[in-house]
Amino acid sequence: MKILLVTSTLLMGGTERYILNFVKNFKENEIDIAFFRWSDDAMTNIITPYIGDIYHLPYYIAHPIRFVNFMKKFYREHSYDIVYCHANHGSTIFYTFPIWNRENVLIMYHSHNSHGNRKLLQFLCRIIINKVCIKRFACSKEASIYMYDSDQATIINNSIDIDEYRYQYDIRQEIRATYGLDGHYVIGHVGQFSERKNHKFIIKIFESVLRKIPNAILMLVGTGELMEDIQKSATELRIDQNILFIGNSDEVNKLYQAFDLFLLPSLYEGLPFVGIEAQASGTCCLLSDVISKDIKITPLVHFMSLERSPEEWAEYVTQLSISSPNKQDYSEMLEAAGFGLNNMKSMYKDIF
C-alpha cells in the first residue's frame, strides 16, 4: 500500500512525533511525506530511515499560482492509495484538491488542534473536509469539534513509545550532572517557540518563581520564530543565567528525566504529546486549563487558569515543589489508558 502523509512542518513538534510513530508502526507500507512550511535537520534525519521520499510543497498563500500548478503535476506523477493529512488547521485539505474526485484514492484527515485563527477559512475548509474525506480522526473530542464541527471523528490517542520515556533514575542523575543541575529545582518545557506555547508567560512565571525558589532552573527545549525574542526578554529581566535554551534535541526523552516540574501554559492545544511524555517520565505537570482534561492520565497533572497572574502561577509551582512526591514509573497506567503504540496499531487495523 502506498501512502502520502501531508503536514505543514517537519520540526520536532507533537504532530511530527505522531507521524514518526505512525511510520515506525507501518513501515511495511510505502510511505512518503509532503510538507509545505518549514523543516529542520533533527526531524528529517530521525524520520528518513522509515520512509520513502520527502517532498517540500509550495505554500498555498505565498505562491498560489505555483501551488496550483505544482499540485496538479505532483498528483499526475505520483499515485497513492491513501493521502493522509495531519493538520492544525483545515487549510491542509487544499493539498489534496487534484484528487477530490478520484475514487481510487482514500483521503483521510487528522485533527491535532482544538483552536485556531482564520475562522472564516476554517469554516470553508471544514465543508470540504467533511465532503471529501472518507476517514476523519482527531486527538481529542475538542480537536474533532474544532476541525469537523462534530465530536463523531474517530479519536486516536497521541500514543508514544512508553518504554522510551519511562522514568529511569540513572538517566536522571546522568542528565542532571551533564547540565550542572544537582541541587537545583528544574522546571522544564518542551515545545516550539510559537505564540500558542506562551513562552512570554513562561518567562514571567519563572521570574516570580526565582523570588520563591532562588535555585530554580528553567530548561526550554525547542526552537522557533520567537526564540530570539524570548532570549532577549530573559536578558532584560536578568534571569537568563537561570535559563537553559537547549534547542532541538534527539534526546528529549532523557531531558524529561531531569525535570522536577513540566510547565505548559499553552493558549490552546489539541491533546499535547509533551503532556503524555512528561507523565511517562514521572514528572509533575502544571498545565493551562484550556488543555483537554483527557490529558490527565495520572495524578501528576494539575491545571491552572490563564486568567491567573504569573505570580499566582509561581505560587502554585512553589506549592508543587513542596508537595509533589518523588518521581516514579507511571508506564503501566499510561499503557492501560491506551497511550502506548499498541493502541495506535489496533486503531488502524481495519484500514491497513
Side-chain angles (χ1 to χ4, degrees), residues 9 11 37-38 117 191-197 199-200 222-231 268:
T9 62
L11 303 173
R37 296 301 299 274
W38 307 288
N117 54 11
Q192 297 176 29
F193 282 75
S194 61
E195 183 179 354
R196 74 167 172 153
K197 296 298 183 181
H199 284 83
K200 290 182 179 179
T223 60
E225 56 188 347
L226 299 180
M227 185 172 178
E228 289 186 8
D229 291 342
I230 299 304
Q231 290 174 321
Y268 54 90

Side-chain angles (χ1 to χ4, degrees), residues 8-229:
S8 59
T9 62
L10 277 182
L11 303 173
M12 294 294 288
T15 300
E16 293 91 334
R17 293 214 283 285
Y18 185 96
I19 290 173
L20 177 61
N21 287 334
F22 179 90
V23 298
K24 284 181 177 180
N25 270 280
F26 301 103
K27 57 180 180 285
E28 65 273 13
N29 298 281
E30 188 177 347
I31 302 176
D32 294 340
I33 292 179
F35 71 99
F36 53 89
R37 296 301 299 274
W38 307 288
S39 67
D40 62 33
D41 291 341
M43 188 63 190
T44 54
N45 290 341
I46 291 172
I47 206 167
T48 294
Y50 303 100
I51 62 172
D53 295 312
I54 297 177
Y55 300 100
H56 190 180
L57 309 177
Y59 186 31
Y60 74 98
I61 290 179
H63 307 285
I65 296 176
R66 179 169 171 247
F67 157 74
V68 170
N69 293 332
F70 187 99
M71 295 312 302
K72 287 180 177 178
K73 182 180 179 183
F74 181 85
Y75 284 111
R76 283 198 303 267
E77 296 178 351
H78 302 87
S79 178
Y80 295 98
D81 300 299
I82 293 176
V83 176
Y84 188 2
C85 301
H86 291 266
N88 292 322
H89 191 275
S91 56
T92 302
I93 195 61
F94 294 153
Y95 288 84
T96 67
F97 81 86
I99 56 171
W100 286 351
N101 295 318
R102 289 192 191 177
E103 295 183 356
N104 61 332
V105 183
L106 177 66
I107 302 176
M108 308 195 306
Y109 215 85
H110 198 129
S111 174
H112 291 272
N113 200 7
S114 61
H115 178 81
N117 54 11
R118 296 181 292 171
K119 293 183 178 180
L120 177 58
L121 180 59
Q122 174 67 18
F123 173 78
L124 296 173
C125 292
R126 180 184 295 143
I127 296 172
I128 298 171
I129 293 169
N130 287 335
K131 183 175 181 180
V132 305
C133 295
I134 304 302
K135 298 289 185 181
R136 291 172 295 165
F137 306 108
C139 62
S140 66
K141 283 190 176 182
E142 292 87 348
S144 174
I145 293 169
Y146 163 69
M147 192 65 70
Y148 315 118
D149 197 28
S150 166
D151 62 0
Q152 297 304 303
T154 300
I155 305 300
I156 301 182
N157 291 336
N158 281 345
S159 303
I160 66 170
D161 185 341
I162 293 175
D163 285 338
E164 187 176 333
Y165 289 90
R166 74 168 68 233
Y167 172 62
Q168 297 181 65
Y169 175 79
D170 291 345
I171 294 179
R172 174 175 169 83
Q173 296 301 102
E174 172 192 330
I175 297 297
R176 288 177 70 91
T178 299
Y179 287 94
L181 301 175
D182 291 338
H184 292 278
Y185 183 74
V186 180
I187 300 169
H189 173 88
V190 179
Q192 297 176 29
F193 282 75
S194 61
E195 183 179 354
R196 74 167 172 153
K197 296 298 183 181
N198 212 4
H199 284 83
K200 290 182 179 179
F201 195 60
I202 292 174
I203 292 295
K204 291 178 181 178
I205 294 170
F206 186 63
E207 181 191 17
S208 293
V209 167
L210 282 174
R211 299 191 195 108
K212 304 172 184 296
I213 312 175
N215 70 336
I217 295 289
L218 176 63
M219 291 185 73
L220 298 176
V221 184
T223 60
E225 56 188 347
L226 299 180
M227 185 172 178
E228 289 186 8
D229 291 342

Side-chain angles (χ1 to χ4, degrees), residues 229-240:
D229 291 342
I230 299 304
Q231 290 174 321
K232 182 179 178 181
S233 295
T235 301
E236 291 173 350
L237 293 170
R238 298 181 180 179
I239 59 174
D240 52 306

